[in-house]
Structure formats: C-alpha cells, structure tokens
Amino acid sequence: MQTAMPHISITTSEGFEAFLATRNEPDWLAQRRREAFALYQSLCVVELDPEEFRRVDLRLFRPNDYQLVADLPDGDEANQFSTLMEHRGDFGGSIAHTDGHLVRSDVTSELVEQGVIFCSLSEAVLKHEELVKKYLMTKAVLPDADRFSAWHAAFWTGGLFLYVPRHVTIEKPLHSLIGLASSKAADYSHTLIVLEQGASATLLEETASADENLPGLHIGAIELLVGEEAHLRYVQLQNWHHRVFHFAHQCGHVGRDASLQWTVGSLGSKFSHVHQDVMLNGQGADAQVNGIIFATGRQKLSYYTQQYHKAPNTHSDLLYKDVVCDRSRVIWRGMIEVDPVAQKTDSYQRNDSLILSHDARVDAIPGLKIEADGVRCTHGATAGQVDEEQILYCMSRGISRGEAMHLIVNGFFQQIFDRIPVEIVRDTLSQSVQTKLGFDN
Amino acid sequence: MREIVVEVIARVVDDLLRLRKHLVEADFEMNSKLKIENLHVQVGETPILKGVHLEISQGEIHALMGPNGSGKSTLAYALMGHPKYVVTQGSIDIDGIDVNELDPCQRARLGMFLAFQYPVTIPGVKVADFLRHAITNVRTPDRKEGEPLMPMKEFRIELRDTMKQLNMDPEFARRYLNDGFSGGEKKRMEILQLAMLKPRFALLDETDSGLDSDAVRVVSEGLAKLSGPDMGVLIITHHERLLEYNIPNYTHVMLAGKIVETGDASLAHDLHANGYAEVRKRHPEEAAQEQKQQEATV
C-alpha cells in the first residue's frame, strides 16, 4: 500500500500547485481554487470561532500527516468497503469514490431522459459547467466560512453532483459511497445537490474506510439546495474507521414550501467536527433534522448545528440522540436563529444523551437567537444514564446484562428510527448501531 | 467359580443400569420444588425477612398475605435476585441448585418469573422484540448474546396465539414496553410475559394492586388459564379478588418478616373478611416487632 505512490502535500503552496497541475479544469475553477488556497493560508493564522470551537481540542490534529493520493490503489483495494447500504436496495443510481477518485458511477437511463444529472462532480464540471459554476460553493457552503471550508474549496476532489429538473420526481433512492483506502490519505469529497422547483429525490450517502488501521483525513462539504416546492431526503452515514479525522461543512437551503429531511448517522472517526446549517429561506419551508451519534472507545465527535429561519411561516425540527461509551466524548452545540421577518416561525431543537460510562462525557448546549416576536421556539437537552432497574427488569426475563444494555441503547435511538419513513434508511441505521454494538441480530 | 463371579457382576451391573435408567426417568418426571429455608434478608442495614420457610412445588398455588410492610414484596425481590435485597442467612433452592448463587438472568433461565408490582418502562424497545429475546434465552438457557433468536415466524405465531388466548389486542406487541401503558395494561403485560415464558415458578407481586375490578378480573382469568400442573405460583396480595379465580392450595400469612400461619383457601377468606387483628393477637411477639418497626420508620 505504502509503496511509491505519488502524494501531494495539502498544506504547502508547492503541494497546491502540484495538485492544480493534475486537474484539467476550466480557468474560473482554477482561479476559485487559488483564491480559496490563499484564504486557507490566511485563515490558518486566525483564531477559529470560539463559540463553535471552544470545546473542540485540535491539538492532536496534524494536517501535515496527510496527503492527497494522486492515483488510486491497485486492484481490489479500491473496493474493499464494508458498505452498509449498497447491497440493500434497488437504487436509481450509484456512485462510489475511493481516496477522492471516482471508481464507478451509474444512473438509470430513465432518469437521464428526464434530465436528471447524477455524476461525479469532476465530470459535472466538464459536462455541466454552467450549473456547477452557478451553485458550487456560492450559496450554501462558502469558502470564507473558516479555514476548513477554504481548505475544502481549494482542494475538493471527488464527490458528486445531483441535479433534478423542475417537477421531476425520482422514486428510487440514489446511493453514494465515499471511501478511504490509502494510509494517510486526505479526502476532500464534495456533495452538491440541486433540486429545482417541485422536484423530489432521496440520496443515501455513506463514508467508510477500507481498513480499520488506516489513518486518514476527510475535509468535506455538503450542499443541499432545495428549490421551491421541492422535497429532498438526504442521509449521511459517517462510518469512518477509528483513525480518521473528519471535518465537514454541511449546509441545506430550503426554499418556499419546500421540505428537507436530513438524517445524520455519526458512528465512525477518531475525531469529528461537523458544522451543519439548515437555512429556511422561503415561506412555508420545512426542515427535519435527525441525528444519531454513537461514540465508543476514545472517539470525540462534535456537532455544531444551526437552524436559521429567514422567512415567515417556516418550520424546523431537529432531534439528535447521542450515546457515549468508554472514554468517548460528544459535543453538541445547537442554535436556532430567527430573523425579524421570520414571523410565525415554529422551531424545535432537542438533544438527548445516554451516558454509559463514568469516563464518557457529553456537552450539549442548546441555544436561541430570536429577533421576531411572533414565533414558537422550543429547545432542550437531556442527559442520563441507563436506569439499573431497567437492566434488572430485563435480567429477570432471562436477558443478560450486556444484551439488556444493547436493547436499551437501540431503544434509545428508536425515536429517531421512528421519524424516518424510508425503510432502507431505517434498517441501515439500526443495523449500523447493532454492528457497532457488536451484534447482528 | 470364575464364571459365577462374572455372572453375578454382570447381573449387578445390569441392575445398576436399570436403576440408573429408572432414576433418570424419575428425574424427568420429578416435580420441581422451590425450597426456601430460614431466609433472612436485609435492605441496606434494615433486616426485613427474619427466617422465612416456604416450599412450593410445581402445580401448587400459594397465596401470601400480610399487612403492609410485613416483607411480602421483599421476599419476591429476594427470590428474583434483586441486588438491593441481600440474603444474610438461609437458603433458596430449586431441586438441589443453590439459587442464591445465581443472578436474576440465570434465575429466569432456571424457570423463575416475577410479575413486578411496578413494571419498568423501556422506551423504544417493542414488546415483541423484548419478548423474543426473553423467550429465546429462557428456552435456550446456555445462549450467549449474538447467538440466533427464535425464528421470527415461529415466534410471531406463538405471540399471536398467546395474545388471543388472553384477549389482548395484537397492537400491544408493537408498542414500546410499558411506555404510556395504563396500570391495567402494565399488569396485563406481565401476564403476557408469564404466558410466553411458561416458568416453573411464578411469583406475582400484588398484580391486582391499583387495578379496577374489571382489570383484576381480566388479569385473574389470564392467570387461571396459565397456571397448571407445570407451574408453581406464589400470589402476593392483600386482596382476595385475585384468589377467586385462582384458588390457593395454601395460604400463608406474613407478619414482621416471618410466615406466622399457613392454612388453606379459607384462611384467605377469613383474612379478607376480618383483617389481621386476630393474627396479631395470636402472634403477639411478631405483632410487637411490627409495632416497633413502624415506629422506627415514623
């Protein structure tokens, strides 16, 4: 694996130039990358937002340990992922990337005929240049948000573009797999989804590592642009192995009378920090955000979520459920922001944690910034341990202590599963929790 | 000479084998017996049970009555192995197995069952899933976590039939365990578990408390359908209603941590009609202890 594969530094100007030389891209894009890299260099010496990063300790993260992988690993290694979803469903299209390189991509001809674009982002740059130019990091995730978004904007590789034209409904879910297969590989995959007016689609995306001992880095971005009256269901199952650092900017824009259901499964990685924004831009916009965070060992998983109401009569409902075991730690900072114009906002934000060990810790901090006067916003956070009486009750029915614990943990997440109408998503999440618990039935 | 010796030995061996076979068969048919001898139990620093003797065989129904605080529920929890109820003296034994050495899970797999007075709620765990785990473990006592559960189809049929037998709405199985259940529903849930797990020894801790008379009837009828020659039942109650449908072979009266009297079903009727005043008069020593305990807790 570690033989003479060309690697590209992700922190130096030389590395950046070498990277640019491997890309056969239009000038506007190269220019944007250059600007982003300059931004990255300048933001690296600027303190990160203390509100967002106060509890996130980055001292263990050394960017210089990771490189871009210029070539795919040989043979089967690029495909050795224990994917949870891929073989479960009947998909309308599927895309897989390894170490930032496209390994396969398909989409049904039926969708193509309807004008749906579902391809790698690199291919979209060449074939659908105007669309990409219009939407890529111009509306949702902006390069200047912080050093991670700038870094991503400079180096993004891989990732996908989904474009659904007006009033086209995609019935079957689409699937995307993002994999890391080389030691110390850096992955900058980008997910860009654009739904035009009245369109609807479901995309299931999962991340995985080929080998549990591979150190890796993911600097990702997700942009979900849901047009007027459009409906998007997006699922991301973060399942990196335990030596991967994961940073991501994720942002959804929801237009007038549109809806976004966004489900996050956060199971993997050594260390994660995810900035997740939901913007309710048009009247009647509706967003539901579901999160499952399950941390074990010494994992540190941090989520910074915002529900931003920018128009009247908008609705958002965020529920995160966290379980921490061993010496792991979860940090969740949630914020609801309501603009003065966003009257009649109805917003809900909640985080429940289950703490399974004395050495595990959860920091859950909900927050509100409300500038409109006719709104209904509720928020809350709970943290608790498994009730010993529940375990005894299970044991009195012949269920061992360990099995009882697992039933209770699964039950704790059930409230999220119950909110998810897509069976394959529900099953996959439940299965991934079971797998992480160590049991498959 | 040698031939005779060989023949005698052969006959003895033959006899021994026949005897062994006989014993093994007898063992299979043997009525299991739950034996409680001189049981002392304390909670924290407070002694509650002070020498309880009780023997329950499969097929028998025992009623355990007694005033509040006499130790009835303590006996139930101690039998099930709740860690807060510490056995300081005496023994609990099923057919030579020292039950006191076992944790609650092992006791359940040995065939013990406690219908809780206050069943706990487990949000997110469906009744059916919970029962499927329980039933698999109780029926395959050596099972380790991760080993296969009872096949879904088989389980569903059994669950459906059992619920029908107990006049329960099948929708019940899809609800989360005791989550949002009324008092009566929780108790019926206990009876459903009893029906599915078919224990050798069932302990019912005030299964009739807090229920209206219709609910008591439903639960009582349910229990009456389930008990039989293979189940030894200990019904803890201070009412009589549960016993109308489940006529006890024995009635025991507990006072200040001891069983002070044992009689038949008529004793239960008598206690119901006349209360415990007469019992206290007949057992002044325990009554005095009870008095002292009550004063200590006030």
Side-chain angles (χ1 to χ4, degrees), chain A residues 53-308:
Chain A
F53 285 90
R54 184 178 299 139
R55 291 168 184 80
V56 183
D57 184 357
L58 293 174
R59 280 174 301 182
L60 282 174
F61 172 56
R62 295 189 184 84
N64 291 320
D65 287 353
Y66 308 93
Q67 300 95 26
L68 285 175
V69 176
D71 286 316
L72 265 182
D74 294 331
D76 289 338
E77 275 155 358
N79 263 318
Q80 294 295 312
F81 298 103
S82 53
T83 153
L84 284 161
M85 291 194 225
E86 193 177 354
H87 306 298
R88 283 174 174 264
D90 180 12
F91 295 115
S94 180
I95 286 182
H97 284 84
T98 299
D99 294 342
H101 299 274
L102 181 71
V103 287
R104 80 198 127 72
S105 160
D106 61 70
V107 57
T108 61
S109 51
E110 192 190 332
L111 291 181
V112 175
E113 280 159 21
Q114 288 176 287
V116 171
I117 301 167
F118 184 58
C119 63
S120 77
L121 190 55
S122 300
E123 185 185 334
V125 166
L126 302 176
K127 293 188 179 162
H128 310 282
E129 188 174 342
E130 286 313 307
L131 283 173
V132 175
K133 189 175 180 181
K134 181 175 170 191
Y135 293 112
L136 180 67
M137 297 194 83
T138 57
K139 300 190 182 312
V141 176
L142 303 179
D144 63 0
D146 63 20
R147 70 178 74 150
F148 295 106
S149 61
W151 206 5
H152 176 88
F155 281 106
W156 71 261
T157 45
L160 65 83
F161 181 49
L162 168 63
Y163 176 84
V164 187
R166 282 169 65 109
H167 300 300
V168 170
T169 295
I170 302 182
E171 298 286 353
K172 289 181 187 171
L174 304 164
H175 178 253
S176 159
L177 173 66
I178 300 165
L180 278 171
S182 302
S183 186
K184 300 191 172 178
D187 176 273
Y188 287 77
S189 57
H190 189 103
T191 301
L192 176 59
I193 299 178
V194 179
L195 264 56
E196 296 282 16
Q197 186 178 2
S200 105
T202 300
L203 180 76
L204 316 178
E205 188 155 61
E206 57 183 323
T207 69
S209 306
D211 182 321
E212 60 183 290
N213 291 312
L214 293 181
L217 170 65
H218 175 76
I219 307 283
I222 293 167
E223 300 186 279
L224 313 174
L225 302 168
V226 189
E228 295 181 356
E229 296 161 22
H231 303 286
L232 175 65
R233 285 191 187 122
Y234 175 73
V235 179
Q236 204 210 18
L237 187 57
Q238 187 272 97
N239 211 12
W240 303 114
H241 276 309
H242 65 268
R243 294 187 68 187
V244 174
F245 279 86
H246 169 84
F247 296 91
H249 275 270
Q250 310 180 339
C251 182
H253 279 226
V254 190
R256 183 179 54 77
D257 295 326
S259 74
L260 168 63
Q261 187 193 51
W262 190 345
T263 301
V264 173
S266 180
L267 301 165
S269 83
K270 171 197 182 78
F271 179 104
S272 289
H273 180 71
V274 174
H275 182 121
Q276 183 187 32
D277 288 333
V278 177
M279 307 289 200
L280 298 127
N281 291 335
Q283 281 221 37
D286 177 28
Q288 186 194 59
V289 183
N290 305 311
I292 278 180
I293 307 179
F294 185 7
T296 56
R298 289 170 169 264
Q299 282 184 297
K300 287 189 177 53
L301 308 178
S302 158
Y303 271 77
Y304 187 85
T305 68
Q306 297 197 84
Q307 297 149 263
Y308 202 155

Side-chain angles (χ1 to χ4, degrees), chain B residues 155-205:
Chain B
F155 170 75
R156 276 193 182 142
I157 291 170
E158 190 172 333
L159 180 61
R160 195 194 56 206
D161 292 350
T162 310
M163 294 181 87
K164 204 169 165 187
Q165 191 194 351
L166 296 172
N167 299 321
M168 288 174 81
D169 182 354
E171 192 54 39
F172 221 66
R174 284 188 279 274
R175 291 173 66 183
Y176 297 137
L177 190 66
N178 294 326
D179 197 2
F181 284 25
S182 70
E185 285 173 331
K186 284 184 186 174
K187 297 299 172 77
R188 289 177 78 180
M189 182 58 217
E190 297 293 288
I191 297 296
L192 174 63
Q193 294 183 45
L194 176 72
M196 292 294 283
L197 298 177
K198 298 185 179 66
R200 285 190 288 170
F201 297 101
L203 319 168
L204 286 87
D205 187 8

Side-chain angles (χ1 to χ4, degrees), chain B residues 27-289:
Chain B
D27 199 32
F28 269 106
E29 288 163 15
M30 193 179 73
N31 229 346
S32 282
K33 191 174 270 186
L34 171 64
K35 248 191 241 177
I36 300 155
E37 280 178 6
N38 190 32
L39 193 69
H40 287 67
V41 173
Q42 65 182 48
V43 178
E45 293 298 306
T46 315
I48 310 277
L49 298 187
K50 297 161 185 169
V52 172
H53 294 268
L54 187 61
E55 279 193 24
I56 303 172
S57 293
Q58 273 180 296
E60 293 175 354
I61 298 181
H62 292 242
L64 180 62
M65 303 180 78
N68 280 334
S70 57
K72 304 184 300 294
S73 291
T74 297
L75 178 63
Y77 282 122
L79 289 176
M80 211 52 234
H82 193 300
K84 274 191 199 152
Y85 297 79
V86 179
V87 174
T88 52
Q89 235 190 95
S91 66
I92 308 166
D93 170 301
I94 293 178
D95 305 340
I97 296 169
D98 181 0
V99 171
N100 200 35
E101 292 294 305
L102 307 176
D103 72 20
C105 170
Q106 292 165 315
R107 293 180 197 206
R109 293 180 187 204
L110 195 63
M112 296 177 77
F113 179 91
L114 170 64
F116 284 70
Q117 188 179 358
Y118 305 109
V120 304
T121 297
I122 308 185
V125 177
K126 288 196 176 88
V127 166
D129 288 338
F130 180 79
L131 272 172
R132 189 167 165 230
H133 280 82
I135 206 169
T136 307
N137 289 326
V138 166
R139 289 185 191 174
T140 43
D142 297 332
R143 178 179 174 270
K144 306 261 183 304
E145 188 183 4
E147 290 175 11
L149 292 169
M150 181 178 176
M152 184 58 95
K153 202 175 161 193
E154 204 180 304
F155 170 75
R156 276 193 182 142
I157 291 170
E158 190 172 333
L159 180 61
R160 195 194 56 206
D161 292 350
T162 310
M163 294 181 87
K164 204 169 165 187
Q165 191 194 351
L166 296 172
N167 299 321
M168 288 174 81
D169 182 354
E171 192 54 39
F172 221 66
R174 284 188 279 274
R175 291 173 66 183
Y176 297 137
L177 190 66
N178 294 326
D179 197 2
F181 284 25
S182 70
E185 285 173 331
K186 284 184 186 174
K187 297 299 172 77
R188 289 177 78 180
M189 182 58 217
E190 297 293 288
I191 297 296
L192 174 63
Q193 294 183 45
L194 176 72
M196 292 294 283
L197 298 177
K198 298 185 179 66
R200 285 190 288 170
F201 297 101
L203 319 168
L204 286 87
D205 187 8
E206 307 212 3
T207 300
D208 52 2
S209 70
L211 301 188
D212 61 36
S213 51
D214 282 346
V216 171
R217 186 177 48 76
V218 167
V219 165
S220 306
E221 284 174 352
L223 177 62
K225 280 180 192 166
L226 303 172
S227 58
D230 296 327
M231 198 185 285
V233 184
L234 178 67
I235 301 175
I236 296 172
T237 179
H238 21 215
H239 307 295
E240 194 194 18
R241 292 178 296 187
L242 195 53
L243 305 176
E244 284 168 13
Y245 291 85
N246 301 278
I247 296 164
N249 305 100
Y250 302 93
T251 301
H252 309 278
V253 186
M254 195 173 245
L255 194 63
K258 275 183 192 162
I259 290 178
V260 292
E261 282 186 21
T262 294
D264 56 16
S266 64
L267 176 59
H269 291 291
D270 180 53
L271 291 172
H272 183 63
N274 304 318
Y276 295 100
E278 290 299 317
V279 174
R280 288 193 179 99
K281 268 185 205 161
R282 289 198 292 269
H283 303 277
E285 201 181 312
E286 282 78 10
Q289 277 185 26

Side-chain angles (χ1 to χ4, degrees), chain A residues 387-404 406-408 410-412 414-415 418 439-441, chain B residues 80 82-84 103-105 108-109 113-114 116 120-125 130 133-134 137 143 145-147 176-177 190 193:
Chain A
D387 183 352
E388 189 61 23
E389 294 296 325
Q390 290 178 329
I391 292 189
L392 277 168
Y393 186 81
C394 293
M395 288 179 79
S396 80
R397 302 301 184 242
I399 297 167
S400 69
R401 175 172 287 274
E403 192 164 29
H406 295 162
L407 278 175
I408 292 165
N410 209 54
F412 177 76
Q414 185 67 40
Q415 194 185 353
D418 286 346
F439 298 98
D440 291 336
N441 64 36
Chain B
M80 211 52 234
H82 193 300
K84 274 191 199 152
D103 72 20
C105 170
R109 293 180 187 204
F113 179 91
L114 170 64
F116 284 70
V120 304
T121 297
I122 308 185
V125 177
F130 180 79
H133 280 82
N137 289 326
R143 178 179 174 270
E145 188 183 4
E147 290 175 11
Y176 297 137
L177 190 66
E190 297 293 288
Q193 294 183 45

